[in-house]
């Protein structure tokens, strides 16, 4: 899959959005490796502590000066989230690899100097390490939300599926240069193709190859669309999707799970479309699906986090932070 598409989920609106999830690297660098982290807000030896790691307290004078004054209670909430993520899931080699790839992509796109300067401006002095930690936390957040949705399917996933009929789509495009259009008696656009022999052979070759090869392999070999690089992967489509031509969308929405269409003609040529699945498990593994759920139900993530925190035995003693989290749950404005 294209990193640009994947990064829509994890990068949000750019480097500045890191502050919504990543805690200060200078304090957290080794706090999440086989160590206990709890959120706290109390006096210890006459000093106000914000949280503790293995009984070692981080005090307000240090914490608030570096981040709290910029971000208010959201900064404490960041620490709370990261503590939950760390306790809930081990950091795997795959997570590290994915996070490193995302970070490398951002450096390639925007330049290391610029990305690091944005990080440093917010107190993240560890450069690429903080960027990698952000993407690791993003993956853990998705796992947590996914697990919550699986445990509460009827409340979280089923209403969206019933309302929007989502499915995961792949396709093969065989371009035809000579496509003409006309309007039928109902005012609909109708296309007619005049393919060359080469274009006809390519279409027939793809259809024949599908009899013995996987759809992804055939797409990689035959498709003229940029999605060929990713085995023809298009992604999540539902009844509200608007970015594709109508012929493509209509054919995609008409397919049953694991069904492959006959060639569908549009202004671009012939599309062969595969509905790769629309089960709960399939959808929850899609990069965009959780985002869609959170768009229509913004409290899913904060409910998942608070429920997991309670199960792990977290106790928040800061009344202001409690109030902040409860307000997030009630308003649906959780980050």
């Amino acid at each position: 899959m294209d990193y640009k598409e994947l990064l829509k989920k994890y990068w949000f609106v750019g480097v500045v959005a890191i502050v919504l999830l990543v805690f200060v690297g200078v304090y957290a660098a080794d706090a999440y490796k086989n160590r206990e982290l709890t959120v706290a807000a109390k006096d210890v030896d006459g000093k106000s502590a914000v949280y503790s790691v293995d009984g070692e307290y981080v005090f307000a004078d240090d914490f608030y000066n570096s981040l709290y004054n910029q971000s208010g209670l959201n900064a404490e909430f960041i620490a709370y989230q990261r503590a939950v993520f760390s306790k809930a899931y081990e950091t795997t080699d795959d997570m590290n690899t994915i996070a490193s790839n995302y970070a490398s992509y951002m450096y390639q796109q925007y330049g290391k100097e610029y990305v690091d300067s944005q990080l440093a401006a917010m107190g993240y002095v560890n450069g690429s390490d903080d960027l990698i930690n952000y993407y690791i936390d993003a993956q853990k957040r998705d796992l947590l939300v996914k697990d919550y949705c699986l445990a509460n399917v009827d409340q979280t996933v089923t209403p969206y599926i019933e309302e929007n009929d989502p499915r995961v789509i792949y396709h093969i495009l065989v371009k035809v240069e000579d496509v003409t259009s006309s309007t039928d008696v109902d005012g609909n656009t109708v296309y007619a193709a005049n393919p060359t022999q080469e274009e006809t052979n390519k279409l027939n070759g793809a259809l024949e190859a599908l009899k013995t090869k996987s759809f992804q392999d055939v797409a990689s070999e035959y498709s003229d669309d940029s999605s060929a690089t990713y085995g023809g992967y298009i992604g999540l489509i539902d009844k509200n999707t608007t970015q594709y031509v109508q012929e493509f969308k209509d054919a995609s929405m008409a397919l049953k799970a694991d069904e492959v269409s006959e060639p569908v003609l549009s202004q671009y040529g012939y599309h062969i479309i595969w509905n790769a699945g629309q089960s709960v498990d399939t959808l929850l593994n899609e990069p965009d699906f959780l985002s869609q759920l959170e768009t229509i139900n913004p409290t899913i993530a904060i409910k998942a986090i608070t429920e997991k925190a309670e199960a792990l035995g977290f106790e928040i003693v800061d009344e202001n932070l409690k109030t902040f989290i409860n307000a997030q749950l009630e308003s649906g404005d959780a980050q």
Side-chain angles (χ1 to χ4, degrees):
M1 190 186 305
D2 190 342
Y3 279 134
K4 287 184 179 180
E5 294 301 313
L6 287 172
L7 285 163
K8 288 178 184 176
K9 185 174 189 62
Y10 296 126
W11 194 246
F12 303 106
V13 292
V15 176
V16 175
I18 296 172
V19 76
L20 297 178
L21 188 60
V22 181
F23 185 50
V24 178
V26 67
Y27 293 141
D30 64 355
Y32 305 106
K33 297 178 181 177
N34 302 314
R35 303 184 68 188
E36 295 288 329
L37 189 153
T38 56
V39 176
K42 60 182 180 180
D43 288 337
V44 178
D45 297 328
K47 298 173 68 177
S48 179
V50 178
Y51 69 93
S52 65
V53 181
D54 282 350
E56 299 174 13
Y57 289 92
V58 172
F59 295 101
D61 286 348
D62 300 321
F63 176 75
Y64 285 75
N65 287 341
S66 63
L67 185 63
Y68 187 86
N69 288 337
Q70 299 177 42
S71 303
L73 277 170
N74 194 52
E76 283 191 20
F77 185 52
I78 294 164
Y80 168 73
Q81 289 184 91
R82 287 208 67 187
V84 174
F85 299 153
S86 176
K87 289 283 288 183
Y89 302 101
E90 293 289 335
T91 300
T92 66
D93 290 341
D94 284 346
M95 286 180 184
N96 268 314
T97 298
I98 291 170
S100 296
N101 287 339
Y102 290 157
S104 295
Y105 176 83
M106 292 309 299
Y107 281 135
Q108 291 170 8
Q109 286 294 107
Y110 298 102
K112 190 174 189 305
E113 183 177 354
Y114 171 75
V115 174
D116 285 352
S117 71
Q118 298 301 302
L119 290 167
M122 295 181 288
Y124 303 114
V125 297
N126 293 324
S128 61
D129 287 342
D130 280 331
L131 192 53
I132 290 170
N133 285 335
Y134 168 77
Y135 288 126
I136 288 173
D137 283 339
Q139 293 174 77
K140 290 182 179 181
R141 180 184 185 278
D142 281 356
L143 282 174
L144 196 155
V145 175
K146 176 183 175 182
D147 288 346
Y148 176 82
C149 288
L150 284 171
N152 300 275
V153 170
D154 290 343
Q155 293 76 36
T156 59
V157 181
T158 302
Y160 175 75
I161 291 177
E162 291 179 347
E163 175 66 23
N164 298 285
D165 196 17
R167 66 271 320 282
V168 180
I169 294 296
Y170 288 69
H171 93 137
I172 298 164
L173 171 65
V174 176
K175 286 185 178 179
V176 176
E177 293 298 327
D178 188 3
V179 177
T180 58
S181 64
S182 60
T183 304
D184 65 16
V185 293
D186 296 320
N188 301 310
T189 301
V190 178
Y191 293 101
N194 300 289
T196 64
Q197 189 60 54
E198 182 179 358
E199 291 166 343
T200 298
N201 290 343
K202 189 170 191 178
L203 176 62
N204 290 336
L207 292 169
E208 188 64 26
L210 285 170
K211 296 177 182 179
T212 58
K213 298 181 180 179
S214 72
F215 195 96
Q216 292 98 319
D217 286 345
V218 177
S220 297
E221 182 178 355
Y222 286 90
S223 182
D224 294 319
D225 187 68
S226 60
S227 63
T229 305
Y230 314 105
Y233 177 82
I234 295 298
L236 190 71
I237 289 182
D238 65 24
K239 73 174 190 178
N240 297 312
T241 300
T242 59
Q243 67 262 45
Y244 303 109
V245 293
Q246 196 64 43
E247 297 78 19
F248 179 86
K249 180 186 174 181
D250 289 347
S252 297
M253 294 302 298
L255 293 172
K256 297 177 181 178
D258 203 32
E259 185 178 8
V260 177
S261 74
E262 295 296 324
V264 176
L265 182 62
S266 78
Q267 66 197 73
Y268 300 107
Y270 288 105
H271 306 265
I272 305 170
I273 305 167
W274 173 38
N275 177 353
Q278 53 195 110
S279 68
V280 170
D281 286 341
T282 298
L283 293 170
L284 282 173
N285 283 319
E286 275 304 293
D288 289 336
F289 187 68
L290 291 179
S291 296
Q292 295 277 24
L293 287 181
E294 291 185 48
T295 297
I296 62 175
N297 187 352
T299 61
I300 286 178
I302 184 62
K303 286 178 179 177
I305 292 167
T306 53
E307 183 177 287
K308 178 61 71 173
E310 291 174 2
L312 292 170
F314 280 76
E315 180 183 1
I316 301 174
V317 295
D318 184 342
E319 293 299 326
N320 288 330
L321 184 56
K322 285 183 182 179
T323 300
F324 178 80
I325 291 173
N326 288 334
Q328 301 271 36
L329 286 167
E330 293 171 3
S331 68
D333 289 334
Q335 297 293 343

